Amino acid sequence: MDTASVQLLSTVVIIVGLLFAMFALMWQMNSQSGRLEAKIDAQSKDMDAQGKELEAKIDAQGKDIEAQGKELRAEIIAQGQRVSDAELEQARLNGVNSVLTQFAHTHEPQTGDD
């Protein structure tokens, strides 16, 4: 073989080697891209599931808070009713006392003429 054919052969080998290296790099990048996409999809599904769990927990807490609010409102109404009952009893006692004090100040015996 002469020098020109050796140079041509070495050039062809270098070009084939470069093409093979480029093909191997592209295949490796494509493979890694596929694995990364699969990981991203799995993480996305996991995050969606966690988001749904959080929404369910927030809804449950909201319902609990709403129920507690209703209980508090009912208790406040009941407290108001108890105050009203106490005020009515006090008014009754004040009325009885006012009648009794009239007789106590006049020192007159109570008669049935009223």
Side-chain angles (χ1 to χ4, degrees):
M1 275 192 169
D2 62 352
T3 346
S5 58
V6 170
Q7 281 183 338
L8 180 64
L9 183 61
S10 63
T11 305
V12 169
V13 168
I14 291 172
I15 290 174
V16 169
L18 287 174
L19 288 174
F20 180 75
M22 286 175 39
F23 173 77
L25 286 173
M26 299 215 21
W27 177 78
Q28 186 179 17
M29 287 185 345
N30 188 27
S31 173
Q32 286 179 351
S33 174
R35 280 183 262 153
L36 287 174
E37 286 177 10
K39 283 183 181 179
I40 289 171
D41 288 344
Q43 287 179 349
S44 175
K45 288 177 184 176
D46 188 38
M47 288 176 67
D48 286 343
Q50 288 177 352
K52 288 179 182 178
E53 283 181 38
L54 286 174
E55 286 177 6
K57 286 180 182 179
I58 289 170
D59 287 343
Q61 286 179 350
K63 289 177 183 177
D64 287 346
I65 290 171
E66 189 175 323
Q68 288 175 356
K70 287 180 181 178
E71 288 176 15
L72 287 173
R73 279 187 219 107
E75 188 175 327
I76 289 169
I77 290 169
Q79 294 269 338
Q81 184 63 39
R82 282 187 216 126
V83 169
S84 296
D85 290 344
E87 288 174 343
L88 287 173
E89 181 64 20
Q90 185 63 45
R92 187 187 69 76
L93 290 174
N94 287 344
V96 169
N97 285 337
S98 69
V99 170
L100 292 177
T101 53
Q102 286 177 0
F103 290 113
H105 289 298
T106 60
H107 301 290
E108 296 177 3
Q110 185 174 3
T111 59
D113 293 342
D114 293 331

